[in-house]
Amino acid sequence: MLTRKSKLLVLKIFSFFSVIRGYNIWVVALAQYLSAIFILAPNEPALTIISDWRLFIIVLCSSLSIASGYIINNFYDAKKDLINRPKKVMIDRLVRQSTKLKVYFTINFVVVALALLISWRAAFFFSSYIFLLWFYSHKLKKFPIIGNLTAALLVVIPFFGVLMYFKNFYHVIFAHATFLFLLLLIREFVKDLENIEGDLVTNYQTIPVRFGEKIAKISITFLICLTIFPVYFLTDVYNVGYMEIYFYVSLIMLVFFLIKLWKSEQKSDYIKLHFLLKFVIVSGVFSIMLIDLNVLQHGRALLSQV
């Protein structure tokens, strides 16, 4: 049996995991590795990429930077989250605000120190990324459009860190990045619809608050229409192997999403739409492996020899 002190420690660890949204971080880390193996360095053996210590540090720095971004975002959104996510706030409050800030600054110091092991350029890249995460949480997220664009961009930026490391600027990479960026931007608009009550109280000038829910839905519809362009290039122009199945299914799901969007009126409806978008995004991460099934077959062969 755990003692009262041990139970409190476990609860605080769970609370901190909730603050940094650890379930999102591992998805980004996995996506970086899969992008490196299947898109950025397709001619390199997968084992060589996985065992590359420099790439590991870049992925680790990305993960830690995202974690610190969630911490500072949680710090600034405390009042708004009390309205939008009261249950989550109860868990998050198990860790003091002062403790969160201490961990935030410690993580940022560790990130820059680790990045310096790669190069001063890597240190500058992650320092800039950390600053942008803070500036978004402190100022930019309160403004319509620019806040949404920045939020989506902040998720994509870590992939450019890996891109610069491999120095492979294929056009197909930008097609993938554009599709992901549009999905993330749609998700940000849906989050604004989901959190409209808290945004109104705390004076966050999001699109639903400033222009109304109808304009927000029209904007989402426009963005969904735009996804057709990167999907066209990824399925008809570039060779993405069996991953093209994912893109076709995604378009079907986005059409279904659009129908549901225009019928949605309650917060619970927008939460379901948000979950659907998350499913499409996370499915896309795992679907990267469909680009070249030979890599999976070779990996299975290596494991059987161990």
Side-chain angles (χ1 to χ4, degrees):
M1 291 291 290
L2 292 173
T3 63
R4 185 176 179 276
K5 192 174 182 180
S6 298
K7 288 180 180 178
L8 183 61
L9 179 62
V10 171
L11 284 172
K12 285 187 176 182
I13 292 171
F14 180 74
S15 172
F16 219 91
F17 187 82
S18 173
V19 170
I20 66 171
R21 303 182 195 180
Y23 45 85
N24 285 341
I25 294 173
W26 75 265
V27 173
V28 175
L30 178 64
Q32 285 179 295
Y33 266 113
L34 291 178
S35 297
I37 294 169
F38 291 92
I39 302 174
L40 299 173
N43 298 320
E44 289 286 331
L47 192 59
T48 301
I49 296 171
I50 294 170
S51 59
D52 188 335
W53 69 270
R54 290 183 178 84
L55 177 61
F56 172 76
I57 289 179
I58 290 172
V59 174
L60 180 61
C61 286
S62 299
S63 299
L64 291 173
S65 298
I66 293 168
S68 75
Y70 280 131
I71 292 171
I72 200 65
N73 189 65
N74 180 273
F75 179 83
Y76 284 116
D77 278 359
K79 186 178 178 182
K80 187 179 81 165
D81 287 343
L82 194 59
I83 300 168
N84 292 328
R85 301 179 181 88
K87 292 180 180 178
K88 185 178 184 299
V89 169
M90 287 177 66
I91 298 171
D92 295 351
R93 280 190 171 182
L94 290 171
V95 179
R96 295 178 182 176
Q97 294 288 69
S98 59
T99 303
K100 292 175 187 176
L101 285 179
K102 288 175 185 176
V103 174
Y104 169 74
F105 287 114
T106 302
I107 289 176
N108 290 341
F109 175 80
V110 170
V111 168
V112 176
L114 286 172
L116 280 170
L117 295 175
I118 305 296
S119 68
W120 67 267
R121 293 182 182 86
F124 177 76
F125 174 84
F126 283 106
S127 297
S128 302
Y129 184 49
I130 289 166
F131 172 78
L132 191 56
L133 284 165
W134 167 80
F135 192 57
Y136 163 75
S137 298
H138 182 54
K139 289 287 184 184
L140 296 181
K141 72 178 303 180
K142 297 179 180 180
F143 299 102
I145 303 175
I146 189 170
N148 302 106
L149 289 169
T150 307
L153 183 63
L154 286 170
V155 180
V156 177
I157 284 177
F159 294 95
F160 284 95
V162 179
L163 176 66
M164 288 189 291
Y165 175 65
F166 284 101
K167 299 177 182 177
N168 288 337
F169 296 94
Y170 302 130
H171 292 158
V172 65
I173 295 165
F174 291 96
H176 279 283
T178 301
F179 182 70
L180 174 61
F181 178 78
L182 288 171
L183 287 181
L184 293 167
L185 195 53
I186 293 166
R187 190 188 70 161
E188 290 303 317
F189 277 65
V190 173
K191 282 169 64 178
D192 286 344
L193 287 166
E194 180 186 333
N195 300 328
I196 191 168
E197 186 179 349
D199 291 337
L200 276 166
V201 173
T202 52
N203 198 32
Y204 275 48
Q205 295 299 305
T206 61
I207 289 177
V209 170
R210 192 163 181 176
F211 304 108
E213 292 185 40
K214 186 177 179 181
I215 296 298
K217 289 182 179 181
I218 291 172
S219 302
I220 292 170
T221 304
F222 175 70
L223 290 172
I224 288 176
C225 292
L226 287 181
T227 61
I228 295 171
F229 295 101
V231 167
Y232 164 74
F233 281 99
L234 288 164
T235 55
D236 284 29
V237 178
Y238 303 118
N239 180 20
V240 293
Y242 288 104
M243 193 184 179
E244 66 179 19
I245 297 170
Y246 161 76
F247 291 114
Y248 290 132
V249 173
S250 293
L251 284 182
I252 294 170
M253 292 183 74
L254 287 174
V255 171
F256 173 78
F257 170 93
L258 201 55
I259 295 168
K260 288 291 184 181
L261 174 69
W262 283 98
K263 293 180 179 179
S264 299
E265 295 179 355
Q266 304 297 323
K267 181 176 180 176
S268 58
D269 298 326
Y270 297 126
I271 290 174
K272 290 174 184 176
L273 290 174
H274 188 180
F275 179 79
L276 177 60
L277 276 176
K278 274 190 174 182
F279 176 78
V280 173
I281 293 169
V282 174
S283 298
V285 172
F286 288 98
S287 297
I288 293 173
M289 292 185 287
L290 297 174
I291 292 175
D292 188 358
L293 293 177
N294 289 326
V295 174
L296 297 179
Q297 292 171 356
H298 292 158
R300 185 182 299 174
L302 283 172
L303 287 173
S304 63
Q305 295 172 9
V306 176

